[in-house]
Amino acid sequence: MKKLIDRKIYLEQLDMWREEEMIKVVTGVRRCGKTTLFELYIVRLKADGVAGEQIIFINLEDADFAALLDYQKLHDYVQARILQDQWTYVFIDEIQNCREYERAVASLYLKKNLDIYITGSNAYMLSGELATKLTARYIAIDMLTLSFAEFSEAVTIADKRERFAQYLNMGAFPYATRFVDNDLAHSQYLEGIYNTVLVKDVMTHKGLHDISLVKSIASFLASNVGSFVSAKKIADTLTSAGRPTGSATVDTYLTALTDAYLFYKVNRYDIKGKMHLKSESKYYCCDTGLRNSILGTTNKDIGHQIENIVYLELLRRGYTIHIGKSGRGTEVDFVAVRNKKIEYYQVAASVLDEHTLERELAPLRQIKDNYPKFLLTLDDFKMDYDGIQQVNLVEFLLLSQ
């Protein structure tokens, strides 16, 4: 059995909220490692002296727990196993499979000495009944596929540039690291994830019916990572290709794709005016390997691929992220905010060409505040351009944050 990959960022978040009167909700695309995170955390609890009978683990994708897909039966199952005068830890995986699960969770929340952890593969659960019934009584932990640092622990590729090339092309679903030397198995695994998410978390959950349309929209988003898009632009493209589609329909499918964590939507922000803009947005894929699988290509548009990786890394490190408008016709790739502090990021494959360098620096130079500004590239050197720090992307990804 292969060693489990330690997910330190998420384990530390669970530790921080242990035995607090808050429900811990771990969300993320299917197969990003939510179930394994619970397994790792249970090992940590037991190492800390928690007895096995204090732990309840329920996987609602497992047929052994099929009877618990009714909220009342789920509630009664847990309540019957709560211990008196000591903490009981309950872990419920893929809770959205249970009908009216929020009623069970809301009731269990009222029990004494019960520490509740749940996972879900659809963001709708955080904006629907669960949020309504448990306002201010839960915290959300958004889980992503492996960081490059975690990927580096999982594979045995010594050269970091070769390792990064693999990370870029095959992506970072934890189980997929087993297929680093088997392209066929890897592609079949990613295709299985994609189809499962589309059917279970996009189509079925949202009551949608046109699988061909959702695949067309997903392909459009995947091929336009790093570019501004809108529902109207997608609708116009599909219509011109012979598939008449309205903006409202596209918008419904876009919401379903982002709710399933296949894609992340990033809005624009006017840096000078300090205001959010309601114009076109950018979309980034949850995993570059999955994006390559959707498009059927690898080693294409490396600039957009590394931009996607930087977005996910900043998200993983706890930043709120916007696309920055820094001047007339100029954009900063990412305005990243964490702990009320701002950082600015430009991303480029290489700036060895003088014109490319000036083009990438120009938006950052237009920003007049003193917050940190970074230019991330694959070039093997560091530079300081009047306070703008050029940093090697691979080294940046390996930094502990």
Side-chain angles (χ1 to χ4, degrees), residues 195-360:
N195 289 329
T196 299
V197 172
L198 287 185
V199 172
K200 289 192 174 183
D201 300 320
V202 177
M203 306 301 293
T204 303
H205 187 78
K206 287 290 188 179
L208 305 176
H209 306 289
D210 197 334
I211 190 71
S212 175
L213 178 58
V214 77
K215 284 187 174 182
S216 293
I217 295 172
S219 293
F220 183 96
L221 293 180
S223 62
N224 285 277
V225 157
S227 300
F228 285 109
V229 300
S230 65
K232 183 180 185 307
K233 182 180 287 187
I234 297 173
D236 289 347
T237 300
L238 293 174
T239 299
S240 66
R243 169 149 200 166
T245 310
S247 297
T249 299
V250 171
D251 196 55
T252 297
Y253 280 81
L254 285 174
T255 300
L257 287 165
T258 54
D259 276 356
Y261 302 103
L262 270 178
F263 292 91
Y264 289 83
K265 180 181 180 180
V266 189
N267 295 320
R268 296 173 76 208
Y269 178 79
D270 187 328
I271 297 170
K272 184 177 180 180
K274 299 187 184 304
M275 59 185 293
H276 296 280
L277 303 172
K278 294 183 179 180
S279 55
E280 296 176 319
S281 304
K282 291 186 179 182
Y283 288 82
Y284 293 95
C285 191
C286 67
D287 181 79
T288 55
L290 191 61
R291 175 178 180 258
N292 291 333
S293 179
I294 293 170
L295 296 176
T297 59
T298 58
N299 295 316
K300 302 292 184 183
D301 63 356
I302 190 169
H304 287 152
Q305 287 203 73
I306 63 175
E307 186 178 324
N308 201 132
I309 281 177
V310 171
Y311 169 76
L312 293 176
E313 183 64 21
L314 293 173
L315 198 64
R316 195 178 282 114
R317 295 181 184 186
Y319 290 91
T320 299
I321 307 161
H322 309 287
I323 309 302
K325 178 180 179 295
S326 62
R328 182 175 297 177
T330 59
E331 304 279 350
V332 175
D333 287 333
F334 301 118
V335 179
V337 183
R338 185 177 66 178
N339 300 328
K340 298 182 180 180
K341 296 180 180 178
I342 300 173
E343 295 175 4
Y344 302 103
Y345 291 87
Q346 284 288 87
V347 184
S350 173
V351 290
L352 293 177
D353 176 78
E354 184 178 340
H355 295 293
T356 303
L357 174 62
E358 289 307 310
R359 185 184 70 235
E360 296 297 335

Side-chain angles (χ1 to χ4, degrees), residues 53 59 62 78 110 122 150 155 170 174 183 185 215 234 254 279 309 325 327 342 352 359 363 372:
E53 58 268 22
N59 185 342
D62 188 334
V78 174
L110 302 175
N122 200 292
E150 291 167 334
V155 299
M170 72 181 294
D183 289 343
K215 284 187 174 182
I234 297 173
L254 285 174
S279 55
I309 281 177
K325 178 180 179 295
I342 300 173
L352 293 177
R359 185 184 70 235

